[in-house]
């Protein structure tokens, strides 16, 4: 076994966090129960790069229980919880991660998990795949395929496949209905506010909240902002999404305009340079900026650093930047994902769905991976529905079933 974590001694609080989520992830538990005796992952190595906190830890432990040897690192320099990493080392997981690692350490840790020459990878954001296509392609020699957890990662995979450079099959877990409809919408919708509220400890009601991007994440964040009593403004580049936002009761305008009226800004676009230097000087004194989309480039932190005459730590996870005009504006969690770098990420019940998909898609890759092309694949509908049914079952809910006459009626044209 090998590992590199900050402090192996702090495992007790990590174990407590993992125990807390264990019985709140019934879908994953059910899958583990079904495959426990069979141990289908025996003899297989799985390399994972996912935010290293309790729910991810639980997924890693379940995969181990099903026979896998797991190599785990984070997917963001600020989202690893050191006590959870220590608890995993105690359980025999090969962990390479610590909170607040440098960019260089972050990449080295990704390479460390790939050194095992994995059979399967679980990527979140596409960094493992990127390294396997650039820095260390030799570590892909045993690879059957992998799964991608998030929107930006899937976009990167599609770009790679379009250029015909993708070297192994990848399943777009993000694009399953049981993923984006819940994780991106309700998960981000709740955990972003959890991160913002615990970090700022300020009231949301009465504030003008500007949300950049009205995709699945943006819809969830806006829905909850409305619930808190905020005046919500959406910025978009897609006219259809902008129309949806208007019908949902929100104001829509370009960022050049919104930057002058917002009290709190949340970017969830997956794009870069959404808030830049041309906006900073127009912001109100005391405006708060944060990001919940991919990477720390949605708000140009680099340009903010250049534009500021001074900066200070205003509170934990809040940097205050004083600009030339004398205004001070605040950036949460260094512009990285506010729900994970300044919070615990999505709730257990949400990650249960996403990680159940991950577990089943990895089993699918074991079974069918060798028949797949070097391409990006959708999650099979049977897996998506299976996760939905187990979810309903765990909530004690059942649904109606079509009888033969109804089935015929729904599939005929001559009504
Ligand atoms: P999505 O594609 O459904 O939505 C993104 C939206 O942003 C689109 O409607 C698009 O038109 C809009 N957009 C793009 N560029 C823009 C710009 N410059 N200005 C304004 N709007 C712009 O994607 P999604 O599933 O909502 O994911 C958004 C981002 O959040 C991705 O990077 C994804 O990886 C990430 N994500 C984060 C979390 C989290 O826990 N924080 C969870 C899921 C996804
Ligand atoms: N490397 C990128 C990753 C994007 S994160 C970055 O840090 O910028 C977006 C993904 O994080 C989502 O698709 C969601 O499934 C995942 N996520 C959200 N909360 C999580 C949690 N509590 N534990 C593990 N993953 C989580």
């Amino acid at each position: 076994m090998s590992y590199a974590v900050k402090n192996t001694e702090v495992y007790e609080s990590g174990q407590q966090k993992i125990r807390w989520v264990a019985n709140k992830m019934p879908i994953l538990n059910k899958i583990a129960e079904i495959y426990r005796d069979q141990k289908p992952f025996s003899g297989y190595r799985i390399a994972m790069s996912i935010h290293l906190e309790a729910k991810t830890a639980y997924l890693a432990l379940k995969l181990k229980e099903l026979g896998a040897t797991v190599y785990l690192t984070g997917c963001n320099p600020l989202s690893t919880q050191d006590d959870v990493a220590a608890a995993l080392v105690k359980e025999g997981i090969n962990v390479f991660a610590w909170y607040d690692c440098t960019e260089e350490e972050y990449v080295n840790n990704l390479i460390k998990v790939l050194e095992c020459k994995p059979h399967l990878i679980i990527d979140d954001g596409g960094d493992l795949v990127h390294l396997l296509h650039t820095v260390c392609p030799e570590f892909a020699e045993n690879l059957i395929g992998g799964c991608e957890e998030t929107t930006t990662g899937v976009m990167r995979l599609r770009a790679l496949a379009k250029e015909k450079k993708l070297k192994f099959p990848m399943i777009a877990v993000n694009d399953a209905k049981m993923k984006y409809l819940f994780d991106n919408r309700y998960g981000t919708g709740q955990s972003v506010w959890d991160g913002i509220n615990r970090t700022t400890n300020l009231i949301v009601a009465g504030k003008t909240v500007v949300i950049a991007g009205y995709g699945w994440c943006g819809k969830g964040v806006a829905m909850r902002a409305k619930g808190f009593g905020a005046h919500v403004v959406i910025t978009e580049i897609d006219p259809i999404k902008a129309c949806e936002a208007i019908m949902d009761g929100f104001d829509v305008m370009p960022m050049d305009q919104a930057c002058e009226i917002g009290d709190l800004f949340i970017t969830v676009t997956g794009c870069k340079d959404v808030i830049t230097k041309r906006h900073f000087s127009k912001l109100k004194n005391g405006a708060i900026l944060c990001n919940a989309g991919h990477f720390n480039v949605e708000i140009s932190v680099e340009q903010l650093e250049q534009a500021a005459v001074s900066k200070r730590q205003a509170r934990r996870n809040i940097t205050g930047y004083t600009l030339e005009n004398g205004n001070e504006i605040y950036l949460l969690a260094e512009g990285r994902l506010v729900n994970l770098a300044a919070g615990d990420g999505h709730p257990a019940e949400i990650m249960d769905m996403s990680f159940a998909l991950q577990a089943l898609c990895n089993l699918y890759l074991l079974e069918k991976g060798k028949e797949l092309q070097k391409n990006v694949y959708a999650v099979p509908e049977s897996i998506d529905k299976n996760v939905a049914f187990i979810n309903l079952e765990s909530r004690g809910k059942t649904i109606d079933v079509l009888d033969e006459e109804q089935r015929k009626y729904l599939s005929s044209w001559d009504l």
Side-chain angles (χ1 to χ4, degrees):
M1 191 194 151
S2 52
Y3 60 86
V5 298
K6 191 164 279 171
N7 180 0
T8 51
E9 300 297 307
V10 294
Y11 62 88
E12 272 180 33
S13 58
Q15 286 174 332
Q16 198 176 57
K17 288 177 182 174
I18 299 170
R19 270 199 300 272
W20 173 251
V21 300
N23 60 3
K24 294 165 188 70
M25 300 183 74
I27 318 176
L28 199 53
N29 285 334
K30 179 79 185 188
I31 294 166
E33 190 189 308
I34 295 169
Y35 292 98
R36 187 162 293 133
D37 295 337
Q38 211 177 311
K39 292 208 182 329
F41 290 115
S42 292
Y44 291 101
R45 292 183 294 281
I46 304 182
M48 295 171 59
S49 158
I50 299 224
H51 301 289
L52 205 166
E53 53 74 67
K55 282 80 84 182
T56 301
Y58 198 59
L59 171 65
L61 291 173
K62 288 288 138 185
L63 293 173
K64 179 169 183 268
E65 202 176 305
L66 299 186
T69 306
V70 179
Y71 292 77
L72 176 60
T73 186
C75 67
N76 182 305
L78 292 184
S79 65
T80 294
Q81 299 189 10
D82 291 323
D83 54 353
V84 174
L88 283 178
V89 169
K90 265 219 146 342
E91 296 294 333
I93 304 286
N94 305 279
V95 186
F96 299 87
W98 52 91
Y99 173 74
D100 205 12
C101 57
T102 63
E103 290 279 350
E104 196 186 339
E105 290 167 340
Y106 172 73
V107 174
N108 283 340
N109 285 335
L110 290 164
I111 295 172
K112 273 283 173 207
V113 301
L114 292 173
E115 266 174 17
C116 74
K117 299 191 174 170
H119 300 97
L120 296 163
I121 56 169
I122 301 181
D123 210 356
D124 182 340
D127 289 345
L128 285 181
V129 168
H130 186 257
L131 287 169
L132 288 173
H133 285 77
T134 51
V135 176
C136 48
E138 69 278 14
F139 295 153
E141 70 180 35
N142 298 319
L143 205 61
I144 300 168
C147 289
E148 171 54 53
E149 172 77 4
T150 200
T151 317
T152 292
V154 171
M155 283 167 62
R156 292 175 85 185
L157 284 176
R158 293 232 158 87
L160 203 52
K162 197 172 167 199
E163 289 181 22
K164 305 219 175 313
K165 288 184 183 153
L166 185 60
K167 291 183 174 170
F168 36 79
M170 286 293 294
I171 300 184
V173 168
N174 179 76
D175 295 358
K177 291 198 177 94
M178 288 303 288
K179 199 315 185 150
Y180 68 82
L181 288 177
F182 302 96
D183 177 309
N184 300 31
R185 184 166 46 169
Y186 295 99
T188 315
Q190 178 164 325
S191 63
V192 159
W193 286 108
D194 176 29
I196 293 171
N197 290 343
R198 79 158 84 163
T199 304
T200 62
N201 193 218
L202 295 172
I203 188 84
V204 182
K207 285 200 168 55
T208 295
V209 173
V210 178
I211 298 164
Y214 202 62
W216 293 109
C217 293
K219 285 183 173 73
V221 175
M223 169 172 67
R224 298 307 180 214
K226 190 182 196 171
F228 277 127
H231 168 231
V232 180
V233 173
I234 304 293
T235 72
E236 251 298 341
I237 49 146
D238 178 336
I240 299 171
K241 300 274 175 54
C243 290
E244 270 188 288
I246 290 170
M247 289 290 171
D248 289 342
F250 304 125
D251 213 346
V252 171
M253 63 185 78
M255 186 58 83
D256 282 321
Q257 230 174 298
C259 68
E260 295 181 12
I261 60 167
D263 299 303
L264 170 60
F265 294 76
I266 305 161
T267 53
V268 260
T269 66
C271 191
K272 66 172 190 171
D273 296 340
V274 179
I275 306 182
T276 63
K277 63 174 179 241
R278 78 170 191 273
H279 304 114
F280 297 140
S281 57
K282 292 198 212 158
L283 292 171
K284 288 202 255 180
N285 187 27
I288 297 170
L289 308 178
C290 65
N291 169 47
H294 198 77
F295 292 141
N296 54 346
V297 296
E298 299 213 15
I299 299 163
S300 177
V301 182
E302 205 181 306
Q303 291 181 17
L304 184 54
E305 295 270 340
Q306 287 161 5
V309 292
S310 66
K311 74 171 184 179
R312 69 182 176 110
Q313 170 100 31
R315 192 177 145 98
R316 184 159 194 259
N317 280 323
I318 307 183
T319 313
Y321 289 90
T322 302
L323 305 176
E324 264 175 10
N325 61 11
N327 285 350
E328 188 176 41
I329 57 178
Y330 302 107
L331 179 69
L332 309 191
E334 299 175 22
R336 294 197 180 270
L337 302 182
V338 69
N339 59 329
L340 282 139
D344 290 328
H346 296 356
E349 298 91 331
I350 291 285
M351 294 320 294
D352 189 27
M353 300 186 212
S354 304
F355 287 166
L357 288 165
Q358 286 286 1
L360 291 176
C361 286
N362 274 279
L363 285 168
Y364 176 80
L365 280 171
L366 275 195
E367 205 187 310
K368 296 265 193 263
K370 293 199 172 118
E371 297 162 26
L372 300 178
Q373 310 290 312
K374 297 168 179 177
N375 215 334
V376 185
Y377 285 86
V379 170
E381 199 188 347
S382 57
I383 291 184
D384 221 356
K385 287 224 166 118
N386 193 8
V387 170
F389 275 120
I390 304 176
N391 187 21
L392 287 173
E393 187 186 284
S394 73
R395 292 167 185 270
K397 300 286 178 195
T398 49
I399 56 172
D400 290 325
V401 181
L402 291 174
D403 64 27
E404 204 38 48
E405 281 305 305
Q406 288 173 313
R407 204 184 304 279
K408 267 195 217 149
Y409 180 81
L410 289 177
S411 56
S412 59
W413 61 272
D414 191 15
L415 303 178

